[in-house]
């Protein structure tokens, strides 16, 4: 397409590199920005630069952080005797939305996957063991995906954590709230049967 | 939603102000940028700032321009005796895609619309008459939308331009290529009948 302006062309090209945005949407965004106060484009540009230049990983839990310690590790009101282990920092947002967890986190940054050549040394397991070794932690909750890789990682972590006499728990597996039994798959149903709880 | 990072929160907020992008897509874009080379975020930010700070309107035809004159007015290979009048600079892209026009343009920046309080003095009509008055132009093509406002504007322009003995033409109205007669609306069919061409 011919934009008859190098400025527009360049902006469209850069915006179209973003996921889920094609050249047509990019042009729409450009025309929108041209109609708005220049301040908006400047604020957007500034936010992107600040984000990319200043984001870091928490030195304690590897969560994304604005400073050396992340939002949770910095928060003195959170329980420091319990650590919830997740694969990705996006998972933290999901757990926070429940409003039922008030401990710390640990972001592995991946899952053990022999098929992809990812071993225990490739993800943040040593630093988790290190945190537990300091003695303050009494429980580690494994909040990993219910996949082969998630289970492999949970299995390995349980083995390593048990050496340190810490309580290891995992998210309950079962029939999701609101779903009908008729349409629940056999594996989930099996897990929910085996893990049935007393009424 | 809780992002546990002010940097992410601010970037998401700014991105979500863009048309067609909600908070979820904005977060996806932010996470994407964090995975990419920092250079990409910087180039995007730079393109936005350059766009907003340096774009201007062509002093001849009011098209969007990187300099005082736009891409077309600057191009010495284009015919200078013919001007195609459009409402918006986006219309230029549509005409350029045909590859069958090699003259200059004039962007009105709107259409006469008494209902919305837009009169002839509110759009770039005087500067068009001025360009024609200079004598080089022999034909003015009205490439306006086939709406009430488009027709009103075309009527007014024709009246004013005729005073200067310049040839005024308009885009042909008729049955679109590829469409079936059965499904063509009566107004279009009436226009195509009245404007029938010899075979």
């Amino acid at each position: 397409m011919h934009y008859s302006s190098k400025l527009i062309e360049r902006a469209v090209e850069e915006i179209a590199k973003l996921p889920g945005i094609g050249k047509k949407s990019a042009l729409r965004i450009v025309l929108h920005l041209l109609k708005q106060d220049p301040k908006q484009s400047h604020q957007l540009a500034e936010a992107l630069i600040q984000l990319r230049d200043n984001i870091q990983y928490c030195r304690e839990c590897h969560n994304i952080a604005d400073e050396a310690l992340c939002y949770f590790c910095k928060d003195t009101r959170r329980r420091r005797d319990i650590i919830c282990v997740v694969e990705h920092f996006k998972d933290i947002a999901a757990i926070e939305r429940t409003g039922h967890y008030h401990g710390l986190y640990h972001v592995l940054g991946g899952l053990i996957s022999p098929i992809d050549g990812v071993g225990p040394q490739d993800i943040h397991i040593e630093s988790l063991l290190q945190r537990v070794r300091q003695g303050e932690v009494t429980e580690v909750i494994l909040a990993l995906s219910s996949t082969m890789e998630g289970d492999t990682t949970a299995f390995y972590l349980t083995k390593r954590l048990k050496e340190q006499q810490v309580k290891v728990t995992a998210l309950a597996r079962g029939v999701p709230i609101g779903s009908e039994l008729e349409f629940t798959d056999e594996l989930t149903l099996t897990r929910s049967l085996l893990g049935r709880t007393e009424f």
Side-chain angles (χ1 to χ4, degrees), chain A:
Chain A
M1 183 163 168
H2 192 276
Y3 302 104
S4 75
S5 158
K6 287 267 165 239
L7 293 167
I8 292 184
E9 194 178 325
R10 204 183 131 210
V12 166
E13 262 172 27
E14 288 297 332
I15 294 171
K17 282 183 194 165
L18 300 175
I21 301 184
K23 290 233 168 176
K24 279 208 170 176
S25 310
L27 182 59
R28 196 154 58 102
I29 289 171
V30 162
L31 298 179
H32 170 85
L33 286 175
L34 286 176
K35 270 191 288 181
Q36 304 297 309
D37 193 299
K39 227 176 68 188
Q40 191 184 332
S41 303
H42 280 264
Q43 282 172 346
L44 172 57
E46 179 66 16
L48 293 173
I49 288 174
Q50 288 289 331
L51 170 76
R52 206 56 192 84
D53 288 357
N54 297 330
I55 206 93
Q56 44 191 305
Y57 292 99
C58 176
R59 65 158 188 248
E60 276 291 314
C61 75
H62 312 289
N63 181 21
I64 229 155
D66 295 353
E67 300 156 63
L69 282 180
C70 79
Y71 176 86
F72 303 104
C73 289
K74 217 168 52 184
D75 187 348
T76 51
R77 290 162 307 173
R78 294 190 77 103
R79 289 181 57 178
R80 310 194 84 77
D81 58 339
I82 180 163
I83 291 179
C84 178
V85 178
V86 295
E87 177 189 353
H88 196 267
F89 67 85
K90 281 188 284 188
D91 302 328
I92 294 183
I95 293 175
E96 282 301 302
R97 275 199 297 273
T98 70
H100 278 81
Y101 181 69
H102 308 287
L104 301 181
Y105 289 99
H106 191 88
V107 179
L108 293 176
L111 294 173
I112 297 173
S113 172
I115 251 178
D116 302 312
V118 182
Q121 71 290 345
D122 298 319
I123 59 179
H124 301 302
I125 288 182
E126 265 320 309
S127 56
L128 171 65
L129 297 172
Q130 187 58 41
R131 286 175 78 185
V132 174
R133 230 170 265 138
Q134 283 162 10
E136 214 182 344
V137 178
T138 57
E139 182 180 353
V140 173
I141 303 177
L142 304 179
L144 304 175
S145 293
S146 184
T147 58
M148 180 125 87
E149 290 78 17
D151 290 346
T152 307
T153 310
F155 183 76
Y156 179 85
L157 280 174
T158 309
K159 216 184 73 184
R160 295 295 308 270
L161 287 164
K162 284 290 184 195
E163 295 164 8
Q164 302 193 37
Q165 259 95 56
V166 70
K167 184 171 157 193
V168 182
T169 57
L171 291 187
R173 309 295 186 197
V175 183
I177 309 300
S179 75
E180 293 184 45
L181 217 64
E182 188 183 346
F183 303 116
T184 307
D185 66 286
E186 303 92 291
L187 276 174
T188 302
L189 217 48
T190 307
R191 288 289 289 264
S192 71
L193 255 175
L194 296 177
R196 65 192 178 277
T197 54
E198 215 166 326
F199 213 61

